[in-house]
Amino acid sequence: AQSVTQLDSHVSVSEGTPVLLRCNYSSSYSPSLFWYVQHPNKGLQLLLKYTSAATLVKGINGFEAEFKKSETSFHLTKPSAHMSDAAEYFCVVSDRILTGGGNKLTFGTGTQLKVEL
Amino acid sequence: DAEITQSPRHKITETGRQVTLACHQTWNHNNMFWYRQDLGHGLRLIHYSYGVHDTNKGEVSDGYSVSRSNTEDLPLTLESAASSQTSVYFCASSEYRGSTDTQYFGPGTRLTVL
């Protein structure tokens, strides 16, 4: 069965310093992996996704993630944090087929990113 | 711009009442999904639909139902609300069924069952 573990429930960084949000996954197949961001009282927005092409994936707002099969990891990084990055981030794996076709998304429990001045 | 909307954004109801949460998308997507978000669980799939008159159960479907009479809407009904159904509910849609397909999410409905 597929699963996702986000290793930190809360991460705090200073503005201008690097961001690292850690994600490990378990999958029986070749997974697709996503990072979504959720700002307060907002829906989830796709940051980036890995679909078995390049292992280093670039997303919106300067975020990127590297797929490492040997480590079963898909960590999210950003070189320099901005105040507007404060939000909750979800790592998501997709590899199981639902009844009728289509992908099943399994969500991690989320990492709350705090950015301080 | 295409979008996905949910209403109401906040709802308080009493145990035993029937509640319907609306989801409307203008992406013209065939696939629509309902999730609930609870602390410590991430998002979990309740029901999904791949087209008009198609509905399928997700991993936490007990106590919920959906119907799909057109492409744009997938209302979620709680037949008899329970306190355990207090949660934030998200609707999503996607165009394709492949494992790489992106799901687009609505802003959520916060439901409180007293």
Side-chain angles (χ1 to χ4, degrees):
Chain A
Q2 63 190 36
S3 66
V4 176
T5 301
Q6 291 186 242
L7 297 162
D8 305 293
S9 58
H10 293 83
V11 169
S12 184
V13 301
S14 299
E15 192 175 32
T17 64
V19 175
L20 170 64
L21 305 183
R22 299 183 293 166
C23 172
N24 286 103
Y25 70 92
S26 171
S27 172
S28 302
Y29 307 98
S30 296
S32 294
L33 292 155
F34 305 77
W35 276 98
Y36 280 87
V37 60
Q38 184 182 24
H39 288 94
N41 301 312
K42 300 285 188 182
L44 281 75
Q45 179 186 17
L46 180 69
L47 273 179
L48 51 81
K49 67 179 179 181
Y50 166 75
T51 60
S52 76
T55 56
L56 183 62
V57 183
K58 294 188 183 299
I60 62 172
N61 300 334
F63 284 94
E64 61 182 37
E66 186 171 8
F67 174 72
K68 292 187 177 181
K69 187 175 181 178
S70 61
E71 299 176 10
T72 60
S73 69
F74 190 57
H75 301 334
L76 181 71
T77 60
K78 182 173 181 177
S80 177
H82 191 273
M83 295 295 290
S84 62
D85 294 327
E88 188 158 23
Y89 292 79
F90 291 93
C91 183
V92 182
V93 63
S94 165
D95 72 355
R96 272 179 51 197
I97 302 300
L98 293 167
T99 300
N103 55 325
K104 182 184 189 313
L105 302 186
T106 297
F107 287 78
T109 52
T111 297
Q112 190 71 43
L113 175 65
K114 182 177 179 182
V115 182
E116 300 173 315
L117 286 171
Chain B
D1 286 347
E3 61 177 354
I4 181 165
T5 57
Q6 295 182 235
S7 63
R9 295 294 311 279
H10 301 272
K11 173 79 176 176
I12 299 174
T13 191
E14 295 176 344
T15 301
R17 289 192 181 269
Q18 184 181 76
V19 176
T20 297
L21 308 182
C23 174
H24 179 82
Q25 53 99 2
T26 58
W27 293 95
N28 200 34
H29 287 164
N30 284 323
N31 309 328
M32 296 184 73
F33 308 83
W34 273 104
Y35 294 88
R36 61 178 289 174
Q37 183 183 29
D38 304 291
L39 274 175
H41 287 280
L43 275 73
R44 292 179 291 174
L45 183 64
I46 304 172
H47 281 287
Y48 59 100
S49 168
Y50 287 138
V52 177
H53 303 310
D54 176 76
T55 62
N56 303 280
K57 293 181 178 181
E59 60 186 308
V60 290
S61 60
D62 287 349
Y64 303 94
S65 64
V66 293
S67 62
R68 188 92 178 269
S69 58
N70 58 54
T71 300
E72 297 79 19
D73 299 289
L74 186 69
L76 176 71
T77 297
L78 287 69
E79 302 294 343
S80 177
S83 58
S84 60
Q85 294 177 308
T86 293
S87 186
V88 181
Y89 291 85
F90 288 97
C91 181
S93 71
S94 70
E95 185 174 6
Y96 303 112
R97 300 190 194 185
S99 63
T100 63
D101 193 36
T102 298
Q103 292 187 16
Y104 297 89
F105 286 82
T109 294
R110 185 175 295 275
L111 176 68
T112 302
V113 182
L114 300 175

